[in-house]
Amino acid sequence: MSTPGNPGEQPPRDADPAPDSPRAGRRSATVVASVLDQAASSLTNIAVLVIAARVSTAHGFATFSMVYLTFTVLLGLNMAYVGQAVVLTRGCATVTGAACRSAVSFTALAATAVGALLAAVGAITAALTGGWAGPGGAFLALGLVLPLVLVQDGLRYAFSTLRRPGLALAADSLRLVCVVPALLAQSPHTAPGMLVAVWGLSAVPALLLGLRLLRPKVRGVRADLLPYVRRGHLGQRFVVEFAVGNASSQLAVLGLGLFAAPLAVGALRGATTLFGPLNVLFNSVNAFGPPLLGRLRGRRATARAAAVLGLVLGVVGLAWGLVLYALPADVGHQLLGATWHSASALLPASGAQYAVMGLGTCALVTLRVLSPRATLSVQVVFSLVSVALMLGGYLLSGSALGAAWGLAAGSALKAAAAWTRVARLHADERPAPTPTPTVPAN
C-alpha cells in the first residue's frame, strides 16, 4: 500500500475544473453519493437504537446500550487503523485494488480474533451470573456477529478508496432496509442478547452485496497484511487520535454502567441518539471540510469560512435541542419507549454540548487543513478533560444529568482551545512590520 507524504505538508492544489466540465460533474456526483452514504449509515445507527429502546425495558436497553457502545468503540478503532489509512492510498487500479483487498482481509481477521475474545468473556460472565438474558449473553452475541458487522462497514472505505461511493451507498441502503424490519419484528421486552444477534445477522445481505460489488475491483490482486502489523503504520497515529478524541468519552460512559448505574448509560445513550441527525452533519464536515477549505486562498479565508460554518452548526444544534425539548411526552415515548423519561431530562445539557461541538468540529477541521500536527495535542488534553468533567459531574450530582453537563463543559473547553490554536496560526501568518530605513546624516 502506498503511503502518503509528511502529514504536515500541504499537497499541491489542482486547478479547479470548470463548473460545467464532466470532471466537475463526476466530482459533484461523488460528493452527493458520499453524503448520502454517510446519511444512510448514520440513519441505520439511529434506527437501531430507537427500535431497541422501544422493544426493550429500561434495564434491557441499558444493557443493549453498553454492548452497542462497545461495538461503536471497536468500529471507530477499525475506522482509524484501517479505514482512514486505506483511503489515503494513491496509485493505479492495481495498487488501490490490492490496498482494498488487504484492508478487508485484515478487518475480517482482526474482527474474528476480537469477536472470539468477546464471546468467551460473555459466556464466562453468563455462566457465573447464571443468566443469559443479561450482559453476558449480549456480549456473547456481539462476539459472534462482530466479523459480519465490522467487515460490512469496512467495505465503505474500500469503495471510497476506489472512488465508487455509489457502491457503498447501495450496500449501506440494503443494510438499513434489512435491519429495521428485523428489529421491529421482535416482541416487546426482547432480551438484549437476542436484539444484538438479530441486529448482527441482518447485516449478512448487505455484506454479501458489498463483497459481490467489490470483487471485480480486486480480482487478480493479492492481499498484503504485513503493512498493518509493521511499526510506523499510518493507522497507528489515527488510532491514538481517535482513542483520545472519541473512544475515551465512549469508554467513560461505558464505565458509568460498570461502577455506577447502568441506567445512566441508557439515559446518555438515549439522549445522544436523538441528536443523530447532527452526527450526520458533523461527520460530513469531517469528511468533506478539509478538501473544500483547502481550496481557499490563505489562512485568513480558511479560518473565516470555518468560523461561519461553526456558527451555523452551533445554531442548528441549539435549535434541534429546543425542538426535542418541546416534544410532547407521548411522542417521546414513541421514539425511545421507557428510556424517554430519563433521556428527556438530559436534553438541555445535550443540546448545549452539540452546539459547542459544532464550533469545535469546524475548528479541528481548520487545524487539519492549516497544521495537521496541531490537532493531536488538542484532542489528547481536552478529551481527557471531558472525561474527567463527565465523571466529576456524575459524582457531584449522583445522576446522569451531572455527567451530561460535564460532557458539555468539556466540549466547550475543547472548542475554545481549538479556536485559540487557529487564532495563533493566523497571528503567525501576519508579516512582521518592515522597519523604516534610516537616512544617514550629512
Side-chain angles (χ1 to χ4, degrees):
M1 184 176 73
S2 62
T3 56
N6 188 334
E9 298 176 356
Q10 293 298 319
R13 295 173 181 170
D14 298 330
D16 290 338
D20 56 349
S21 67
R23 181 182 173 189
R26 289 194 300 268
R27 179 176 296 176
S28 299
T30 298
V31 171
V32 170
S34 298
V35 172
L36 291 177
D37 178 56
Q38 180 62 56
S41 179
S42 299
L43 183 59
T44 299
N45 292 331
I46 296 170
V48 167
L49 289 169
V50 169
I51 298 173
R54 293 183 62 180
V55 301
S56 303
T57 63
H59 287 278
F61 181 68
T63 300
F64 180 86
S65 296
M66 292 174 63
V67 175
Y68 200 78
L69 195 57
T70 302
F71 161 73
T72 303
V73 172
L74 294 174
L75 178 65
L77 289 173
N78 184 70
M79 174 197 69
Y81 195 81
V82 181
Q84 290 188 9
V86 74
V87 296
L88 296 177
T89 303
R90 296 292 181 267
C92 62
T94 301
V95 172
T96 55
C100 292
R101 188 168 198 145
S102 301
V104 173
S105 300
F106 180 83
T107 297
L109 290 175
T112 301
V114 175
L117 179 61
L118 285 174
V121 172
I124 294 173
T125 302
L128 293 177
T129 58
W132 294 94
F139 277 102
L140 171 62
L142 176 62
L144 295 177
V145 302
L146 188 65
L148 302 176
V149 291
L150 278 189
V151 172
Q152 191 275 321
D153 188 88
L155 290 173
R156 299 169 55 210
Y157 301 97
F159 290 129
S160 178
T161 304
L162 298 170
R163 299 184 181 182
R164 299 296 300 272
L167 302 182
L169 176 60
D172 288 336
S173 298
L174 180 60
R175 171 70 168 132
L176 176 62
V177 170
C178 290
V179 71
V180 170
L183 290 177
L184 286 176
Q186 303 307 303
S187 60
H189 302 169
T190 300
M194 178 60 70
L195 287 178
V196 173
V198 171
W199 159 76
L201 292 175
S202 65
V204 171
L207 173 61
L208 295 177
L209 175 62
L211 292 175
R212 177 65 183 85
L213 295 174
L214 180 65
R215 184 178 178 183
K217 311 299 180 182
V218 300
R219 184 182 291 116
V221 297
R222 298 182 61 183
D224 183 10
L225 305 184
L226 290 181
Y228 289 97
V229 296
R230 287 176 184 157
R231 185 176 181 180
H233 172 56
L234 188 60
Q236 295 169 5
R237 177 183 178 88
F238 294 145
V239 162
V240 173
E241 190 162 334
F242 167 79
V244 297
N246 300 92
S248 57
S249 59
Q250 301 278 20
L251 291 174
V253 173
L254 183 61
L256 286 179
L258 297 178
F259 77 85
L263 289 177
V265 178
L268 287 171
R269 196 63 176 169
T272 303
T273 300
L274 296 174
F275 286 88
L278 295 187
N279 289 328
V280 176
L281 287 177
F282 295 165
N283 290 334
S284 297
V285 169
N286 279 318
F288 304 107
L292 294 178
L293 291 176
R295 294 181 182 179
L296 301 178
R297 300 293 182 181
R299 293 181 175 181
R300 178 180 298 180
T302 300
R304 185 184 297 116
V308 172
L309 179 58
L311 290 175
V312 171
L313 291 181
V315 172
V316 170
L318 286 176
W320 186 250
L322 290 175
V323 169
L324 293 175
Y325 191 71
L327 285 179
D330 55 343
V331 176
H333 280 287
Q334 291 180 5
L335 289 174
L336 292 182
T339 306
W340 168 257
H341 178 72
S342 57
S344 60
L346 310 185
L347 290 179
S350 296
Q353 179 190 2
Y354 272 84
V356 295
M357 279 175 62
L359 292 170
T361 297
C362 292
L364 291 172
V365 167
T366 305
L367 286 177
R368 190 174 289 276
V369 172
L370 301 180
S371 180
R373 295 182 182 275
T375 59
L376 184 58
S377 59
V378 175
Q379 292 276 35
V380 169
V381 174
F382 288 95
S383 293
L384 296 178
V385 168
S386 295
V387 171
L389 290 175
M390 186 199 72
L391 297 176
Y394 181 85
L395 293 176
L396 290 176
S397 66
S399 66
L401 181 60
W405 279 115
L407 285 173
S411 296
L413 291 176
K414 181 187 288 189
W419 279 113
T420 300
R421 183 66 62 88
V422 172
R424 289 177 180 175
L425 292 176
H426 176 59
D428 293 340
E429 186 189 33
R430 295 173 182 172
T434 303
T436 303
T438 57
V439 180
N442 294 328

